[in-house]
Amino acid sequence: MLIFFLLFLAAAATTNSLFVHPEPLTPSPSPSQRPKSIFLLAGQSNMAGQGGVVNDTSTGWINKWDGVIPPECSPNPLIIRLAENLTWVEAREPLHADIGVNQTNGIGPGMAFANTVVGQDRGLGLVGLVPCAIGGTRISEWERGTSLYNQLMRRARAGTKDGGTIKALLWYQGESDTVEESDAVQYKGRLEKFFTDVRTDLQSPELPIFQVAIASGLGRFTDTVRKVQLGLDLPNVRTVDAKGLPLGPDRLHLATPAQVRLGQMLADAFLQSMARSPSPVSEALSPSLVSEASTSGPNLVIHVLAFFMWKLIRAVLMSRGD
């Protein structure tokens, strides 16, 4: 009887491991909740987002957003953003609506990035986006001690004061440094110092940084800046190339579909950098019985018990055979 009872328990445990039901969706959090994973968004207008921003024919200036939000950029209860007044609110496009003065923002890469990462890694928990990008800015305007740098630090620290971890800096800048040759020539040194200063002042020497190699420029030194970005050799700095993504009518800013694609490319780069090796327990058990989603919490206990129960039953049966 004991053997049959043990067989029953082992079968029940194995059945649970074979038919792993998807975890229920996390209840919609209130925007007032503290984020677990924080991402800084900085740079100039293509990070702030100009997707869907069109010319107002009455004035000739680019100052109107068309209001079209792609499904990849839809609000998500798992994504919040740090508003201009340093409070966490629901994340909605345009993410940079209240950041900066006298600039119209539209679709950027931030929401597409966030929706992709939370869709593939629920372990990130509540994601907090910290918009800091300002259009038309050169790298020299982001040097330590400048107003833009100080604002980036102030907002980063405000985002983490109640907990949460800054997972990465997403950086898209450089178009303004293609105008003057002196700016393009000094771009490498200034960019490396900026990344180093950010890590130092945030006390995160290995902070992952995902920079975008520009797709366009304001001047004739675009290739010079791109060469720096694509050849940058700093630890934990990865470059995503925007070259080839469709531009808007001004031939400078990424169109909405391009911004969505860029956000997904940044998300892919981040998720690849976060890839973990299999746990020792999952390697010890039969691969056909273990799924990545079931190797934590109560499911892990079931797998371990089932494994050792089967070993015990097998030993008993073999001893009876002798």
Side-chain angles (χ1 to χ4, degrees):
M1 290 296 293
L2 176 60
I3 293 176
F4 287 113
F5 178 68
L6 294 176
L7 282 170
F8 172 78
L9 289 178
T14 304
T15 300
N16 283 337
S17 67
L18 285 171
F19 299 98
V20 178
H21 298 285
E23 295 183 6
L25 294 177
T26 305
S28 300
S30 164
S32 63
Q33 286 186 263
R34 301 168 182 173
K36 179 180 177 182
S37 302
I38 297 171
F39 296 90
L40 308 178
L41 314 179
Q44 56 182 110
S45 55
N46 267 318
M47 176 57 77
Q50 290 289 296
V53 176
V54 296
N55 287 317
D56 185 334
T57 55
S58 64
T59 64
W61 291 98
I62 300 176
N63 62 357
K64 184 179 180 181
W65 176 49
D66 62 15
V68 177
I69 301 176
E72 298 89 347
C73 302
S74 298
N76 186 320
L78 290 175
I79 306 171
I80 57 179
R81 77 175 183 96
L82 193 70
E84 191 276 336
N85 62 1
L86 304 183
T87 61
W88 289 108
V89 299
E90 180 185 43
R92 285 182 170 274
E93 294 284 16
L95 288 177
H96 284 75
D98 56 352
I99 307 300
V101 181
N102 298 325
Q103 61 179 5
T104 300
N105 294 309
I107 303 297
M111 280 301 293
F113 167 85
N115 272 313
T116 301
V117 296
V118 300
Q120 296 191 36
D121 187 353
R122 284 299 180 92
L124 292 171
L126 185 61
V127 166
L129 301 177
V130 181
C132 301
I134 301 293
T137 52
R138 294 175 296 165
I139 188 65
S140 60
E141 296 177 80
W142 288 90
E143 290 179 358
R144 177 189 268 163
T146 62
S147 60
L148 291 181
Y149 186 90
N150 292 339
Q151 175 176 267
L152 173 63
M153 291 297 109
R154 177 175 63 93
R155 290 178 60 75
R157 290 166 182 151
T160 56
K161 69 181 180 69
D162 292 323
T165 302
I166 297 177
K167 294 292 188 179
L169 164 66
L170 307 186
W171 174 257
Y172 190 171
Q173 187 277 336
E175 294 93 343
S176 292
D177 288 273
T178 66
V179 178
E180 300 293 335
E181 184 176 12
S182 58
D183 287 333
V185 169
Q186 297 181 73
Y187 192 77
K188 183 177 187 293
R190 288 170 172 173
L191 183 63
E192 290 179 341
K193 185 176 186 303
F194 170 71
F195 287 161
T196 301
D197 288 343
V198 167
R199 286 171 163 170
T200 299
D201 291 341
L202 292 179
Q203 299 181 355
S204 181
E206 297 182 356
L207 176 70
I209 297 173
F210 298 87
Q211 69 157 343
V212 180
I214 58 175
S216 58
L218 288 168
R220 57 191 180 95
F221 298 102
T222 300
D223 289 341
T224 304
V225 172
R226 276 181 49 79
K227 184 177 180 180
V228 169
Q229 294 170 331
L230 293 170
L232 201 66
D233 186 21
L234 287 178
N236 240 16
V237 175
R238 296 169 177 83
T239 303
V240 173
D241 195 354
K243 189 73 171 180
L245 294 176
L247 299 173
D250 62 4
R251 308 305 300 165
L252 177 65
H253 296 105
L254 296 186
T256 295
Q259 288 286 16
V260 171
R261 180 63 190 133
L262 177 62
Q264 294 169 337
M265 291 164 62
L266 287 166
D268 289 343
F270 170 75
L271 291 168
Q272 289 171 14
S273 74
M274 294 290 288
R276 301 182 181 92
S277 59
S279 68
V281 173
S282 65
E283 290 178 319
L285 298 176
S286 171
S288 63
L289 298 180
V290 180
S291 70
E292 183 179 351
S294 65
T295 54
S296 61
N299 285 329
L300 178 58
V301 176
I302 290 173
H303 284 301
V304 174
L305 288 176
F307 177 73
F308 287 107
M309 190 71 74
W310 173 247
K311 297 283 283 186
L312 175 62
I313 294 168
R314 185 182 179 188
V316 172
L317 291 175
M318 290 180 68
S319 64
R320 281 179 171 267
D322 294 337

